[in-house]
Amino acid sequence: MKINPKIDALQLMLTDLRTRNEPIRHKAAFKGCQPEFQSLVSRLIKQLEDELVAEKLTNRDS
């Protein structure tokens, strides 16, 4: 399989988002926006997962 930098970047971003970043989470909790923050993270993960699947399909078809 050939190397695809976009797939690598998407996978790295997803790994980063799924890793608990405690300083950012503590700041969100302190400001009282933890539910909103988590909702945004979840939406971004879903969007990136969809983009990753599409990129893998495109890469496989070419």
Side-chain angles (χ1 to χ4, degrees), residues 24-61:
I24 292 174
R25 291 181 188 279
H26 285 299
K27 188 178 282 187
F30 180 74
K31 290 186 172 189
C33 63
Q34 183 63 31
E36 293 83 357
F37 175 78
Q38 190 55 49
S39 174
L40 287 171
V41 170
S42 297
R43 285 176 36 211
L44 184 54
I45 287 172
K46 174 74 173 113
Q47 180 180 343
L48 290 169
E49 286 173 337
D50 292 346
E51 193 172 328
L52 178 60
V53 168
E55 188 65 30
K56 284 181 175 180
L57 287 172
T58 301
N59 194 52
R60 185 175 47 184
D61 292 341

